[in-house]
Amino acid sequence: MTDPRQVHVVYPGSFDPVTLGHLDILERALRLFGRVTVLIAESGKAGLLPCERRVALFREAIGPEPRVDVQPFTGLLVDAVNALGANAVLRGIRCAGDYEHEWGLAGVNGLLSPGFESVFLLARPDLAAVSSSLVRDVTRHGGDLSRLVPPCVALALPRAEPSS
Ligand code: ADP
């Protein structure tokens, strides 16, 4: 059996932008596993911030943490996981919709790369409603971001004038 402190997990996503929900999953994973590589997808959904900005903000949000590496990522997740020699992929589950999505991803990734493992952590109940897409909407309308994202992200996001 592998010592959990030797386990290296990959935490992929768009993180556009990183939220308190994402960071909670990361913090809890660091209590369980030895190392986490955060892979930030270069392309994908139409979003807010370019990849290099999302990487920089994620790094700033966690500060110096020798057990976490944050990298941009493009291509197939299974290839990145194999290239890193990681043991598993880490994902957060907020609701039944997330579960269904993850079920499909994990199934196909297992077919692409036999032995591929995924680990899932349930969202903290008070953060389960937080998503990057809602943060982007709140940002566009000048709403209060303090309970949704870390302070460095709240400061960095392009703000609309608060509606009066
Ligand atoms: P993707 O673009 O792959 O959906 P995201 O950047 O939105 O990725 O999220 C990365 C991972 O974090 C996903 O597993 C997602 O379900 C999870 N996640 C997102 N928001 C939260 C949250 N509030 N609490 C827990 N997990 C979350």
Side-chain angles (χ1 to χ4, degrees), residues 11-15 19 21-22 25 45 91-94 98 102 123 127-128 130-132:
Y11 183 25
S14 311
F15 304 105
T19 70
H22 292 132
I25 296 288
K45 306 171 201 163
R91 299 282 286 174
I93 303 250
R94 289 164 291 186
D98 274 356
E102 295 303 332
L127 293 173
V130 179
S131 66
S132 295

Side-chain angles (χ1 to χ4, degrees), residues 11-26 28 39-41 43-45 54 58 89-95 98-99 101-102 105 119-133 136 148:
Y11 183 25
S14 311
F15 304 105
D16 188 19
V18 61
T19 70
L20 294 178
H22 292 132
L23 294 176
D24 177 63
I25 296 288
L26 175 65
R28 288 161 54 206
L39 290 183
I40 304 198
S43 57
K45 306 171 201 163
R54 287 180 271 138
F58 203 120
V89 161
L90 167 71
R91 299 282 286 174
I93 303 250
R94 289 164 291 186
C95 58
D98 274 356
Y99 171 77
H101 181 65
E102 295 303 332
L105 284 181
V119 292
F120 301 102
L121 292 180
L122 289 181
R124 209 173 83 187
D126 59 314
L127 293 173
V130 179
S131 66
S132 295
S133 63
R136 295 197 293 272
L148 308 178

Side-chain angles (χ1 to χ4, degrees), residues 131-151:
S131 66
S132 295
S133 63
L134 286 175
V135 166
R136 295 197 293 272
D137 286 345
V138 173
T139 302
R140 279 186 199 107
H141 296 288
D144 177 13
L145 292 169
S146 60
R147 277 181 282 182
L148 308 178
V149 298

Side-chain angles (χ1 to χ4, degrees), residues 41-58:
E42 279 188 10
S43 57
K45 306 171 201 163
L48 183 69
L49 302 168
C51 184
E52 65 273 16
R53 194 77 188 104
R54 287 180 271 138
V55 169
L57 281 175
F58 203 120

Side-chain angles (χ1 to χ4, degrees), residues 7-13 25 29 33 35-37 39 73 76-82 84 86-92 102 105-106 109-110 113 115-121:
V7 171
H8 173 195
V9 295
V10 165
Y11 183 25
I25 296 288
F33 308 118
R35 230 175 110 196
V36 180
T37 299
L39 290 183
F73 150 74
L76 281 179
L77 181 59
V78 290
D79 292 339
V81 171
N82 290 334
L84 287 162
N87 303 87
V89 161
L90 167 71
R91 299 282 286 174
E102 295 303 332
L105 284 181
N109 283 330
S113 177
F116 181 95
E117 280 296 350
S118 305
V119 292
F120 301 102
L121 292 180

